[in-house]
Amino acid sequence: MKTYRSLALIIILSLSVNALFAQNKPSHTDSLMKAGIALTDAGKFAEAVAIYDEVLKASPDSKPVLYEKAITLNIMGKHDDAIIILEKLLTSISTPNVYAALGDAYDMKGDFDKATSYYTKGISLWPKDRNLWLNLSVSYSRQKKYPQAQAAAAEAIKADPRHARSYQNYAVAAYLQGKNAEALLGLSNYLMFGSNNQSLGACNVIKSILYAKPNTNADPVAKLEQETIAGAVTVATAGKTGLAPIDSLVLQLTASYKAIQSQENQFGSSFFARYFGDFFGAIATTNYMDTYTRFIAVSLSPQDNIAWLKAHNDDVKAFNIWLNTQKRQTE
């Protein structure tokens, strides 16, 4: 989780300083600021802070420089130093990024009450800010408050449906509650953004969900989700022997998506039913499940799946055209 938090901070860091603060930055600091940000991105945090301090000698009240210094200090683990700077900034400037940074600093320090207060205050001012919602979700996950983490991640998805990490956090929070249908579709959506160094782990969690036996001690919704998938997988593969792993996965996902859609209104979330259940249920009725499954499961067998996708380029194009026609409801 520590790595994930740092990543979230670096994402914030990469935003334009002018866009963050809408202030005029002294032109002579441009090159130094760029150098400082580049050093932070490279993990050379002490060197970055030294550059920011050099700039601050000439412009001690420069809000963009103070912000960048605070972000870097927080990544270094110097949370109290970062908090002093950020709380001072908040008295003269109000942006969602400052609230998010303060929430991150308190969160990484372990003061979850203060972290939550800054995230929620920021959200009250900017209810559609994805970073605030996602960072709140991550904080709840660290506190093992998984229902709240999933709900916050859902709001991050609504704010920015094109952000992969929001789906990942949504899925993980659902999985840790035993809500396997919500976890399966969340991870399926996450993998549609393309392969990365966490794709194999996501694929392996999907496989564990498909083969999981229902937990009789789970809460009613989680139990229903688990039973829905287990029943669908059993029917899909009954009497079928000698299947290649990828062909088995196509059958299991197709059956699971259809079964989840048929039960979606019983899982307690209208957002899940409309945004996830309907969408993946629709995919399962197309002729593109082979293409789709090969794409999201590239990391399970990269050489074979990539070769297949290249050989079926027309199918890939047709699937992309179909995807572009789909309208998903977030509200």
Side-chain angles (χ1 to χ4, degrees):
M1 192 60 70
K2 183 178 179 181
T3 300
Y4 186 77
R5 299 297 294 159
S6 297
L7 194 69
L9 289 168
I10 291 170
I11 289 171
I12 294 172
L13 179 78
S14 67
L15 299 174
S16 163
V17 172
N18 284 334
L20 287 174
F21 295 102
Q23 298 286 326
N24 292 323
K25 184 173 61 178
S27 60
H28 70 278
T29 68
D30 286 357
S31 60
L32 286 174
M33 283 291 292
K34 289 179 182 178
I37 293 172
L39 286 168
T40 298
D41 287 340
K44 298 179 179 180
F45 307 125
E47 292 93 329
V49 170
I51 284 183
Y52 297 138
D53 284 340
E54 183 177 345
V55 177
L56 289 168
K57 289 178 182 177
S59 305
D61 296 321
S62 172
K63 294 177 178 65
V65 181
L66 288 168
Y67 175 83
E68 299 295 348
K69 178 180 177 181
I71 293 295
T72 306
L73 287 170
N74 200 31
I75 297 172
M76 295 170 70
K78 296 183 177 182
H79 311 308
D80 289 332
D81 293 339
I83 287 167
I84 290 171
I85 295 172
L86 291 166
E87 289 187 336
K88 182 179 179 181
L89 275 177
L90 200 58
T91 64
S92 59
I93 188 169
S94 179
T95 72
N97 299 85
V98 174
Y99 278 97
L102 265 168
D104 291 338
Y106 277 111
D107 186 55
M108 295 176 74
K109 183 182 175 182
D111 190 340
F112 298 124
D113 289 341
K114 275 286 188 73
T116 299
S117 71
Y118 276 112
Y119 292 138
T120 54
K121 175 61 176 176
I123 287 167
S124 72
L125 298 170
W126 297 277
K128 299 297 184 182
D129 187 86
R130 179 254 293 167
N131 277 337
L132 284 165
W133 280 115
L134 180 58
N135 290 4
L136 176 61
S137 175
V138 173
S139 179
Y140 279 138
S141 291
R142 293 187 69 202
Q143 300 171 60
K144 299 184 179 180
K145 295 180 178 180
Y146 301 121
Q148 296 94 322
Q150 185 182 356
E155 295 300 324
I157 292 168
K158 294 175 188 178
D160 184 2
R162 296 180 178 275
H163 189 246
R165 293 282 177 182
S166 299
Y167 295 92
Q168 183 185 42
N169 218 62
Y170 177 92
V172 171
Y175 183 68
L176 291 170
Q177 298 172 74
K179 294 185 175 182
N180 285 1
E182 293 162 70
L184 174 62
L185 300 197
L187 287 173
S188 296
N189 211 132
Y190 169 69
L191 289 167
M192 288 178 68
F193 285 91
S195 185
N196 59 52
N197 61 4
Q198 298 184 49
S199 296
L200 180 58
C203 284
N204 285 331
V205 173
I206 284 178
K207 289 168 63 178
S208 73
I209 289 171
L210 294 172
Y211 289 103
K213 294 181 179 180
N215 180 358
T216 57
N217 295 320
D219 74 65
V221 172
K223 184 180 178 183
L224 176 60
E225 294 190 24
Q226 295 168 20
E227 290 174 344
T228 298
I229 294 172
V233 169
T234 298
V235 172
T237 56
K240 298 180 176 67
T241 59
L243 289 172
I246 190 65
D247 294 327
S248 179
L249 184 59
V250 170
L251 291 175
Q252 292 168 352
L253 288 177
T254 301
S256 294
Y257 292 167
K258 289 179 178 179
I260 290 169
Q261 185 184 26
S262 72
Q263 300 279 354
E264 62 186 18
N265 291 323
Q266 299 183 53
F267 297 157
S269 167
S270 58
F271 166 71
F272 173 76
R274 290 193 304 270
Y275 190 75
F276 287 106
D278 288 350
F279 176 69
F280 284 98
I283 289 178
T285 65
T286 70
N287 296 321
Y288 305 125
M289 279 301 294
D290 283 328
T291 302
Y292 159 81
T293 305
R294 295 271 186 176
F295 180 78
I296 69 165
V298 161
S299 60
L300 290 175
S301 183
Q303 186 173 354
D304 291 343
N305 287 330
I306 291 172
W308 190 96
L309 291 167
K310 287 181 177 178
H312 294 78
N313 189 49
D314 288 344
D315 292 328
V316 174
K317 289 180 179 179
F319 179 50
N320 279 326
I321 291 172
W322 180 86
L323 284 175
N324 288 330
T325 67
Q326 301 308 298
K327 304 297 182 183
R328 299 176 70 178
Q329 297 182 6
T330 58
E331 299 293 343

